[in-house]
Each structure stands twice: as structure tokens, then as C-alpha cells.
Amino acid sequence: MKKQFLEVGQIVSTHGIKGEMRFNPWCDSPSFLKQFKTLYFDEKGEKSVGVIAARPHSNIVILKLEGVDSIEQAQLLRNKVLYINRSDVPADTVFIQDLIGCEVYDASTGKKYGVIKRVSENPANNIWHIVDESGEEHLFPAVKPFIEKIDTDNSIVKVKPIKGMFTAAEEIRDEN
């Protein structure tokens, strides 16, 4: 079951003297946070806070929250994790935690390649770690040309791999 409230990052320090904070985002880009008017201090969404401003600054976000107007108030929130409500995100957004456990199939043949066990985030693209039935791990570049469909509601991903993506290890063994 998908979580309704998702961790989006952590307040790491203060910024200036008027209550702004340096926020380390745990999302694809700092600009992703600009769309939210409300964030949450807990994973149940019981403690909400309004967002006055969120501006990307290098790889962090300078965040200004309602009711935080001094450096002292901001300091009290240091190390707090903030959450977003899944309902506030466009429906086609895919979260890494939703990919974990998805079964991966060939879009053309229907062959099952395995299950996504983890995702490595890299500057160029994410890498899916797909483990097949024999326990072998395959590294799959998560780029649009190789992905046919992602259906996290049913835990299924359909891919269009190029030759050798899933068979390279088998081909090497066969050559020896």
C-alpha cells in the first residue's frame, strides 16, 4: 500500500535572521518543492504548516514557513523531516519507494525479468536494480526510451530493453 504522506527532505540549518531555513530536498530537484503550499511535520499529516516561500539555492532549498519569523524559531526546527501529501502531486509522478517491489516484464514478449529491489540515483539517470528468479542482479537504466509503462498501483513495470541488457551474463557464460 502506498503511503499518503511522503518524506520530502530535512531542515538542516537556518538561513539569515528572519526565520528562513536551509532545506535538504530528497527529491529529483530542489525546484520540485516550489509547487507545495503545505508541508507536514509527521507521516500521518496531522501537523501541517503553510509554505510562504521555497526557492532553489544550488542543491538545497531556502524555505520560509508560516509562524517561523526568527532565527531562534528556525533553529528549533533544525533536523526536522518534512512530508508532502501524495494528493498534492500530479498523478503521473512516480516515487522511488513505489517502484521497489514492482515486477518487471518485457513489453513485447511478456517475459518476466525480475523485481526492482532498489534504485540508485545518478546524475544522468536513475538505475533500477532488478533481481531475477535466480537471484542475479541486473542494472537497468531508467530512461524513457527503455520504459513502456509504469503501473505502481499493480506493482508492474513494462520495459523495452535493448539486446544484452538482461542476457549479457548468460551470453558470457555460454561463450566459455
Side-chain angles (χ1 to χ4, degrees):
M1 187 166 133
K2 294 180 179 179
K3 291 181 186 178
Q4 185 63 36
F5 294 89
L6 307 167
E7 293 179 350
V8 74
Q10 183 177 34
I11 298 169
V12 292
S13 66
T14 60
H15 182 84
I17 60 169
K18 295 184 179 180
E20 289 185 316
M21 295 161 279
R22 297 173 63 84
F23 184 77
N24 180 25
W26 299 338
C27 46
D28 287 345
S29 102
S31 61
F32 176 77
L33 288 175
K34 290 185 345 183
Q35 67 185 301
F36 298 99
K37 301 293 180 218
T38 304
L39 295 174
Y40 301 84
F41 287 112
D42 63 305
E43 61 188 27
K44 293 180 182 177
E46 295 171 351
K47 299 175 188 170
S48 64
V49 63
V51 177
I52 294 173
R55 66 182 188 277
H57 181 72
S58 187
N59 62 341
I60 64 158
V61 173
I62 303 299
L63 190 61
K64 177 77 169 123
L65 300 176
E66 285 181 357
V68 182
D69 298 313
S70 70
I71 190 169
E72 293 80 15
Q73 290 172 317
Q75 184 64 31
L76 293 174
L77 296 175
R78 190 166 185 238
N79 296 321
K80 291 277 187 190
V81 173
L82 295 179
Y83 298 78
I84 58 171
N85 187 337
R86 184 184 293 273
S87 300
D88 294 339
V89 179
D92 62 345
T93 304
V94 177
F95 294 98
I96 289 175
Q97 70 179 18
D98 297 338
L99 288 171
I100 306 301
C102 283
E103 296 179 339
V104 180
Y105 294 91
D106 190 293
S108 300
T109 67
K111 177 183 178 179
K112 182 178 176 181
Y113 290 120
V115 175
I116 300 174
K117 294 296 184 180
R118 69 183 185 99
V119 176
S120 297
E121 297 180 69
N122 295 299
N125 57 269
N126 288 350
I127 303 292
W128 294 346
H129 296 253
I130 300 170
V131 177
D132 63 22
E133 289 179 0
S134 70
E136 185 173 349
E137 182 179 75
H138 304 274
L139 302 180
F140 186 85
V143 293
K144 287 184 182 187
F146 300 147
I147 301 169
E148 176 78 21
K149 182 178 181 184
I150 297 175
D151 180 0
T152 56
D153 290 331
N154 295 303
S155 298
I156 294 174
V157 176
K158 294 186 179 180
V159 297
K160 303 178 288 188
I162 58 174
K163 184 179 179 182
M165 271 188 181
F166 288 98
T167 58
E170 292 171 16
E171 290 171 358
I172 291 170
R173 281 194 296 266
D174 291 343
E175 289 176 7
N176 293 330

